[in-house]
DNA sequence: TGTATAATGATAATCAATATCAATAGTGAA
DNA sequence: TTCACTATTGATATTGATTATCATTATACA
């Protein structure tokens, strides 16, 4: 193969930069497009879609699938798998991360019961976040 | 209000019947449409979408959101919440149900750590189902 | 049985995502 | 550096799922 199969175009570098700058945040394609466009107005939406796909394949970003919403994307934590969960507030729709996994023993039970080798999981918890909880008011 | 706000049309009854007949199975809208059409060829796809929405509002069916796929719908278990999990095989893409919840203690930990009141959750496990696992062959 | 209007079926509109294609610009070789 | 190859881009058409529109039909109550 003579020429490289992954060229570092300025659009691609820019998009990766956008992900890097928003560490720990999720973005939809449209949000990413808006941020990228503010830095380089010529960029096209198709390029954003294509590079999101490319960065996913390179494992540089991760897809976050949440029910009833467009997919989010976030920068990968290069370390290791680092499986974390998402808590979605039903009031303000904010997404809170929870860093620990905690599902090992649950997975063991399921694996034995169903003879199903679990390799991965996606978990979303719904509820009310700390901000939206009624504060402990004094009575009346 | 003079007239009823939910009329029992034959299309609506038919669709509910389709759900009842496929107890414990999930269906996409297109699958449901195909089944309904085989019993009543005049039914339109828009009617299927409208009644899926209606039946969801009535809590007669449940939406099952799985990553990277169209939403599935299944009949509700009237009993109680009956939260069960879905195991998706990465080989054959079959969806296996797991009846128990098992997440109470995990939820308690998260609730305390994040001061987040959990009301609900959606969990998907990925892996290899029993059919797709290599059988325990004799050596070589 | 008559009537108001919810529901239907056909189809247009919308929206996210992908495909197409001519023009551009990285990249390795000379 | 320059050249040539071709991956990538941007604009736009296309696709596929879902929703909106609207004239027509049919359910349910009086």
């Amino acid at each position: 193969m003579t020429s490289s199969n992954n060229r570092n175009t300025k659009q691609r570098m820019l998009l990766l930069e956008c992900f890097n700058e928003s560490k720990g945040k999720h973005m939809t394609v449209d949000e990413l497009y808006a941020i990228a466009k503010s830095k380089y107005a010529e960029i096209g939406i198709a390029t954003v879609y294509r590079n999101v796909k490319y960065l996913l394949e390179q494992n540089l970003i991760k897809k976050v699938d949440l029910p009833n919403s467009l997919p989010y994307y976030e920068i990968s934590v290069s370390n290791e798998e680092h499986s974390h969960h998402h808590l979605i507030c039903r009031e303000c729709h904010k997404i809170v991360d929870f860093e620990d996994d905690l599902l090992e023993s649950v997975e063991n039970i399921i694996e034995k019961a169903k003879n199903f080798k679990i390799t991965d999981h996606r978990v979303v918890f719904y509820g009310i976040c700390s901000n939206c909880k009624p504060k402990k008011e004094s009575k009346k």
Side-chain angles (χ1 to χ4, degrees), chain A residues 16-49:
Chain A
L16 191 51
E17 188 186 311
C18 292
F19 276 111
N20 269 309
E21 287 175 359
S22 67
K23 248 175 190 123
K25 294 230 167 42
H26 332 74
M27 287 182 291
T28 62
V29 169
D30 276 339
E31 289 165 357
L32 175 60
Y33 177 52
I35 295 171
K37 213 168 168 56
S38 74
K39 302 184 175 196
Y40 179 64
E42 296 68 17
I43 199 169
I45 184 70
T47 298
V48 177
Y49 275 103

Side-chain angles (χ1 to χ4, degrees), chain A residues 42-104:
Chain A
E42 296 68 17
I43 199 169
I45 184 70
T47 298
V48 177
Y49 275 103
R50 276 186 295 242
N51 277 294
V52 162
K53 193 176 182 192
Y54 171 84
L55 295 172
L56 274 175
E57 286 163 2
Q58 303 297 314
N59 286 315
L60 292 171
I61 62 172
K62 274 198 323 185
K63 188 178 183 181
V64 181
D65 260 305
L66 303 175
N68 299 314
S69 81
L70 297 180
Y72 288 87
Y73 299 91
E74 61 182 28
I75 192 121
S76 287
V77 181
S78 49
N79 286 351
E80 50 216 290
E81 253 326 305
H82 188 77
S83 171
H84 70 277
H85 306 313
H86 295 99
L87 321 179
I88 303 180
C89 179
R90 291 218 182 262
E91 289 281 329
C92 67
H93 304 103
K94 194 176 64 172
I95 301 169
V96 180
D97 288 338
F98 183 78
E99 296 305 325
D100 300 332
D101 184 350
L102 304 178
L103 290 184
E104 268 185 49

Side-chain angles (χ1 to χ4, degrees), chain A residues 103-118:
Chain A
L103 290 184
E104 268 185 49
S105 65
V106 171
E107 291 186 353
N108 285 335
I109 294 170
I110 294 174
E111 289 197 337
K112 275 169 193 147
K114 293 287 176 176
N115 190 26
F116 187 103
K117 176 64 191 165
I118 294 174

